[in-house]
């Protein structure tokens, strides 16, 4: 709370309404409008672009300056000096782990990597060509029926066990979705590997052949998870909070988050980037697509460009670009035709007045899509991998909400439908 107040003066109201102004540690002050309902007044904010839906200590973004902090630490520094699991520990516990805490956390996560055997039968019920995100929504929701020994949301120990289970089992489930999709046997996790190596092992190994995991690719994968770990109150995280605000169990809340992430304006953008590159098909078609992207009457957008919050640059994209260059060099793919189209698009968007004036920079999904394509991950898996990395953010926000006083989320509306009328009997309609 600050000494400042906002004063609301509405035509037709006798009195002005004083509204408190709240300050956070960083970022703009916010006007607390929560008392308006007592005056039977509601605010209108489609897309919640002007609304802080909650108080949070986890992640801070300054979109104008291209800043992303987790618990105060810049994403660039975490990417350089910490692993994904250290970042998970930070998001969940508020501080980075020391060496002993790190070892203990890794051991806890490793001990939870296997999933209940019955999940294999559950997966078998999906069509062989089901989209892995569709399977992920179903399987994660179903986890509450497998792990109901620890879903008392009012018990902090249960909440932490669930957080650990989710972080540990997501790569296993993600790889199982992929194996189902390609019709190969599921691979069990290997607990002597680190988080990212193990994921690549479960994705690309088979019982007949377990190729050695390249350290460059494992590092890129770890970075990819780390850069997606959290992003404050985006659509999927807000969905998790909203579902959790009803007291729903954490697995169903995360399943709701996965569903929200799937859309092409959110986590589905990395798949959409590759689909767009395939659609463009050849460098000689790029101009035509750039023209379409600028045409107001054409719904086509350059996927992987622009961001709702970052209106300068996406700090995750900068880190990802470097990893992207390393991966392409490691795999000798600099001359891949699709990747050449990507490089050209990036160049145009950084120079062309339309994109520059609208501050449409390549976002994290642009480079993550290219990295995953280079690693050999099929496009249908891209959003699943985003969901795997983001699970810690979802669960950290859910835990933060449940650990503090909270209300069930219940937005209001501006009703513009018919006014009250009487139902006519069938023969009078
Ligand atoms: N290509 C062409 N024009 C664009 C694009 C684009 N990718 N993005 C925005 N614009 C134009 C848009 O038409 C509008 O033009 P005008 O001012 O003339 O009406 C202007 O730029 C502002 O667009 P907006 O829709 O108001 O921007 P927004 O902040 O509401 O939307 C966005 C952000 C991410 C939905 C949008 O930029 C987009 O659709 N990008 C492509 C999809 C994408 O890459 N999404 C991943 C986002 S990052 C992952 C995540 O955090 O989930």
């Amino acid at each position: 709370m600050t000494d400042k107040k906002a004063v609301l003066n509405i035509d037709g109201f006798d009195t002005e309404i004083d509204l408190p102004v709240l300050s956070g540690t960083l970022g703009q002050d916010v006007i607390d409008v929560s008392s308006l309902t007592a005056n039977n007044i509601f605010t209108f904010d489609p897309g919640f672009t002007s609304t802080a839906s909650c108080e949070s200590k986890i992640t801070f973004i300054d979109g104008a300056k291209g800043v992303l902090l987790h618990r105060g630490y810049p994403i660039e520094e975490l990417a350089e000096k910490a692993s994904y699991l250290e970042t998970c520990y930070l998001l969940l516990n508020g501080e980075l782990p020391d060496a002993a805490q790190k070892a203990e956390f890794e051991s806890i996560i490793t001990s939870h990597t296997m999933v209940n055997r019955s999940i294999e039968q559950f997966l078998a019920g999906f069509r062989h060509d089901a989209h892995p995100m569709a399977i992920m929504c179903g399987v994660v929701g179903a986890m509450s029926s497998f792990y109901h020994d620890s879903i008392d949301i009012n018990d902090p120990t249960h909440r932490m066990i669930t957080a650990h289970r989710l972080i540990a089992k997501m790569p296993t489930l993600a790889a199982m979705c992929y194996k189902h999709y390609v019709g190969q046997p599921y691979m069990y996790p290997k607990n002597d590997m680190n988080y990212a190596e193990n994921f690549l092992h479960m994705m690309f190994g088979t019982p007949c052949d377990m190729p050695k995991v390249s350290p460059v690719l494992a590092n890129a994968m770890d970075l990819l998870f780390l850069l997606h770990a959290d992003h404050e109150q985006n659509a999927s995280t807000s969905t998790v909070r909203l579902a959790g605000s009803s007291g729903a169990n954490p697995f169903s809340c995360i399943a709701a988050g996965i569903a929200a992430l799937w859309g092409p304006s959110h986590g589905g953008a990395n798949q959409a980037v590759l689909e767009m590159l395939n659609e463009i098909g050849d460098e000689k078609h790029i101009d035509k697509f750039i023209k379409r992207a600028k045409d107001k009457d054409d719904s086509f957008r350059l996927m992987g460009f622009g961001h709702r919050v970052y209106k300068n640059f996406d700090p995750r994209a900068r880190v990802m670009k470097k990893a992207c260059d390393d991966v392409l060099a490691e795999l000798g793919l600099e001359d891949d035709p699709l990747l050449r189209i990507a490089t050209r698009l990036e160049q145009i968007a950084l120079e062309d007045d339309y994109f520059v004036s609208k501050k449409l920079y390549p976002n994290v999904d642009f480079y993550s899509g290219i990295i995953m394509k280079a690693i050999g991950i099929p496009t249908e898996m891209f959003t699943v991998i985003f969901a795997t990395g983001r699970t810690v953010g979802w669960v950290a926000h859910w835990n933060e909400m449940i650990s503090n006083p909270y209300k069930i989320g219940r937005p209001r509306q501006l009703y513009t439908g018919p006014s009250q009328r009487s139902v006519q009997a069938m023969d009078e309609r």
Side-chain angles (χ1 to χ4, degrees):
M1 181 90 72
T2 63
D3 293 337
K4 284 190 260 175
K5 62 176 187 194
V7 181
L8 186 62
N9 195 333
I10 307 178
D11 284 352
F13 270 68
D14 296 341
T15 49
E16 292 177 334
I17 302 171
D18 288 350
L19 297 170
V21 174
L22 311 178
S23 267
T25 28
L26 294 169
Q28 60 276 71
D29 291 347
V30 297
I31 303 167
D32 179 353
V33 295
S34 58
S35 62
L36 287 181
T37 177
N39 294 288
N40 205 23
I41 296 167
F42 300 101
T43 52
F44 182 61
D45 183 20
F48 309 119
T49 50
S50 303
T51 297
S53 63
C54 63
E55 189 187 317
S56 180
K57 295 180 168 51
I58 302 174
T59 290
F60 173 75
I61 299 176
D62 184 332
K65 294 190 183 133
V67 170
L68 167 60
L69 309 177
H70 291 323
R71 305 280 191 185
Y73 295 116
I75 191 71
E76 297 88 338
E77 288 185 34
L78 288 169
E80 191 192 331
K81 297 179 188 163
S83 66
Y84 173 66
L85 281 188
E86 286 169 63
T87 307
C88 290
Y89 185 99
L90 172 71
L91 290 169
L92 288 177
N93 300 298
E95 294 298 337
L96 280 165
D98 61 24
Q101 288 164 330
K102 179 181 172 191
E104 190 196 358
F105 186 66
E106 285 176 350
S107 153
I108 292 171
I109 297 299
T110 304
S111 69
H112 281 298
T113 49
M114 280 203 293
V115 294
N116 189 296
R117 194 75 205 273
S118 314
I119 287 182
E120 291 182 21
Q121 267 93 61
F122 186 67
L123 274 163
F126 285 93
R127 264 178 69 125
H128 74 281
D129 57 353
H131 194 290
M133 274 301 270
I135 306 182
M136 238 12 211
C137 289
V139 172
V140 173
M143 277 170 82
S144 51
S145 66
F146 291 100
Y147 303 104
H148 43 76
D149 59 336
S150 59
I151 53 172
D152 177 358
I153 63 165
N154 298 313
D155 181 336
T157 311
H158 276 210
R159 293 204 298 272
M160 210 34 95
I161 294 173
T162 298
H164 295 156
R165 279 189 167 143
L166 276 161
I167 293 165
K169 293 181 198 308
M170 283 298 276
T172 313
L173 291 173
M176 287 173 86
C177 291
Y178 172 64
K179 291 298 191 189
H180 178 82
Y181 186 65
V182 291
Q184 289 180 357
Y186 305 123
M187 292 297 286
Y188 290 121
K190 264 182 79 59
N191 288 349
D192 58 349
M193 290 183 159
N194 71 31
Y195 195 84
E197 283 169 347
N198 181 40
F199 175 65
L200 291 175
H201 153 76
M202 291 187 290
M203 281 285 292
F204 296 115
T206 70
C208 321
D209 182 24
M210 292 187 206
K212 197 171 160 357
V213 177
S214 145
V216 175
L217 302 192
N219 282 344
M221 203 66 230
D222 195 75
L223 192 63
L224 215 138
F225 287 138
L226 186 153
L227 293 175
H228 284 94
D230 190 41
H231 215 226
E232 55 117 298
Q233 313 309 325
N234 54 79
S236 56
T237 305
S238 296
T239 301
V240 170
R241 279 187 180 258
L242 196 54
S245 75
S246 73
N249 78 70
F251 296 105
S252 31
C253 298
I254 302 303
I258 294 173
L261 186 77
W262 195 355
S265 298
H266 192 7
N270 49 20
Q271 173 172 344
V273 168
L274 256 288
E275 285 166 356
M276 175 192 74
L277 295 179
N278 275 315
E279 196 188 345
I280 297 174
D282 193 295
E283 280 182 271
K284 65 176 187 268
H285 300 141
I286 290 180
D287 288 349
K288 190 175 82 195
F289 281 87
I290 294 283
K291 219 166 138 195
R292 284 187 60 194
K294 295 179 183 176
D295 182 355
K296 271 202 166 305
D297 298 325
D298 191 327
S299 61
F300 175 79
R301 283 185 168 195
L302 268 199
M303 300 314 286
F305 291 84
H307 197 275
R308 167 53 70 79
V309 179
Y310 295 119
K311 299 299 179 192
N312 189 337
F313 65 91
D314 179 341
R316 302 166 302 169
R318 282 197 172 162
V319 180
M320 199 68 102
K321 180 176 167 40
K322 162 88 182 60
C324 187
D325 293 342
D326 292 348
V327 167
L328 297 186
E330 162 84 0
L331 297 171
L333 283 175
E334 295 98 326
D335 276 336
D336 181 275
L338 277 199
L339 302 176
R340 276 214 314 268
I341 296 175
T343 312
R344 182 72 197 117
L345 279 182
E346 178 197 19
Q347 226 172 25
I348 293 174
L350 294 174
E351 289 164 6
D352 187 294
D353 187 52
Y354 174 90
F355 294 95
V356 174
S357 63
K358 291 186 188 302
K359 301 185 187 300
L360 301 171
Y361 299 91
N363 58 46
V364 68
D365 286 323
F366 183 71
Y367 298 109
S368 68
I370 296 171
I371 291 181
M372 288 190 276
K373 145 98 178 128
I375 292 179
I377 296 169
T379 45
E380 292 77 7
M381 279 297 292
F382 287 8
T383 317
V384 171
I385 288 168
F386 188 158
T388 302
R390 180 56 57 84
T391 294
V392 65
W394 290 329
V395 84
H397 281 274
W398 169 81
N399 191 37
E400 180 180 64
M401 181 181 73
I402 305 288
S403 312
N404 292 287
Y406 65 99
K407 287 186 178 155
I408 183 167
R410 179 57 171 93
R412 302 301 294 251
Q413 63 172 3
L414 174 66
Y415 176 71
T416 52
S419 9
Q420 186 168 335
R421 47 188 174 159
S422 298
V423 176
Q424 289 174 308
M426 182 57 84
D427 57 357
E428 291 167 11
R429 279 180 232 160

